[in-house]
Amino acid sequence: MQKSIEVEYWVVDQDGALTNPGSLTEYSEFVEEEFVYPLLELKTPPCETYSALRSTFVEQLADLLSKADELGKVLVPLGTPINSESIELRTTDRSRIQKHVLGDNFAYAKYCAGTHLHFEKRNVTDQLNVLTSLDPALALLNSSPYFRGDRVANGARAYIYRKKCYEYFPLHGQLWDYVNTVGQWERQLDRLFDSFKEASMKEGVSENDIEASFSPQDIVWTPVRLRGEMPTVEWRAPDTSLPSQILRVAEEIGAIMEQLHHTEVRIEGDTGNVTDERITIPEFDTVLTYVEEAIHDGTESAELSAYLERMGFDVQAYEPLTQKIDGRDYVSLDEARKIRLQYGERLKRDVDELTQS
């Protein structure tokens, strides 16, 4: 089964201040600008095996870090920039329309850097439902508890993205319930496209502009999505983090994605577990409870950790960066710059260790 990784990184200068990637996004087709200036995205090509994915991701990231060094820039693997001056948005038709519809809440998205895992479409209904049940695994990569200096949650990015940015359009940015068929998922997309178009037109956006920038396939920013590329089922819930941690979660979720093709998937009860014979996912309301624990408490929640262990994750093997950074109610701008530089160095060491191993 083909799989790929997309990761967003903050770009800072030698003083830790957020900065433009500049030519960092020009040297490779696998490095792209993001919708805000101090953010870039690294994408692996589709890989058939986990081993190939690991080596490709590490090689790409090592090369990107080398290019950043040459330009005097540092990449930072944190879900939010901790605290920063105002972040500038790249002006595109898509972002302009989103700002019209979401209003001031759209600004929350400017402070979010995440990890996206793609898995080749096979048993798509089961893939959608199982990835939905695994959404609480976002806690394994929580990498910032701060938004604009204030301590908001164990996973600040997931909190502000889901609770604030899409507060008034929850189905466009929050976790969806299980589905019985792919058709049910696609009909939901059609309805949300229509509702987004209606809301946009009420804000003075022309129907032609909306249809030129959006389609039912890309109208949502939910934690689980169907994508036309490859084509894939995408899990986009977790923060950006250290590559060793991203690769670990990619391997463990990938193993579950492989298993569901030759075993029964059942929705039942409030426990959930993965065995050789069956994947049992809990009722959706139970998943939502675990998601709340993942956002607010992270792996410090004993109940959440036990659930993730039952679902196939080695929770003790993870070291969420948020646990290292947490501990105060407020982080100043100067302190945030120091933290960004500290974790930029941590990223380089992590890549060096992966390269040597």
Side-chain angles (χ1 to χ4, degrees), residues 118-119 121 124-125 127-128 181-183 185-186 189 216-218 220 222 224-229 231-234:
H118 289 258
F119 301 96
K121 287 181 182 177
V124 179
T125 301
Q127 287 175 302
L128 289 170
T181 65
V182 176
W185 183 280
E186 292 174 341
L189 288 175
Q217 285 68 47
D218 60 15
V220 296
T222 49
V224 180
R225 292 175 67 184
L226 288 181
R227 300 299 296 271
E229 298 92 341
T232 64
V233 183
E234 177 189 20

Side-chain angles (χ1 to χ4, degrees), residues 196-210:
F196 186 84
K197 182 163 65 173
E198 180 181 353
S200 300
M201 293 171 68
K202 285 181 179 178
E203 295 298 326
V205 183
S206 75
E207 184 172 3
N208 287 341
D209 285 349
I210 299 163

Side-chain angles (χ1 to χ4, degrees), residues 170-222:
L171 287 177
H172 284 82
Q174 299 178 19
L175 193 66
W176 287 7
D177 201 345
Y178 301 135
V179 293
N180 296 316
T181 65
V182 176
Q184 181 183 347
W185 183 280
E186 292 174 341
R187 287 191 295 274
Q188 175 86 301
L189 288 175
D190 289 336
R191 289 193 295 272
L192 291 176
F193 177 71
D194 290 340
S195 66
F196 186 84
K197 182 163 65 173
E198 180 181 353
S200 300
M201 293 171 68
K202 285 181 179 178
E203 295 298 326
V205 183
S206 75
E207 184 172 3
N208 287 341
D209 285 349
I210 299 163
E211 293 182 347
S213 298
F214 297 93
S215 71
Q217 285 68 47
D218 60 15
I219 198 62
V220 296
W221 297 266
T222 49

Side-chain angles (χ1 to χ4, degrees), residues 121-146:
K121 287 181 182 177
R122 290 191 178 175
N123 298 11
V124 179
T125 301
D126 284 344
Q127 287 175 302
L128 289 170
N129 291 341
V130 171
L131 281 177
T132 296
S133 77
L134 299 180
D135 192 59
L138 68 90
L140 301 171
L141 298 188
N142 280 352
S143 59
S144 171
Y146 297 101

Side-chain angles (χ1 to χ4, degrees), residues 9 42 114 252:
Y9 293 104
L42 175 66
E252 292 186 330

Side-chain angles (χ1 to χ4, degrees), residues 98 120 135 169 178 181 308 338:
Q98 284 180 267
E120 180 183 355
D135 192 59
F169 292 83
Y178 301 135
T181 65
L308 294 177
K338 292 176 183 177

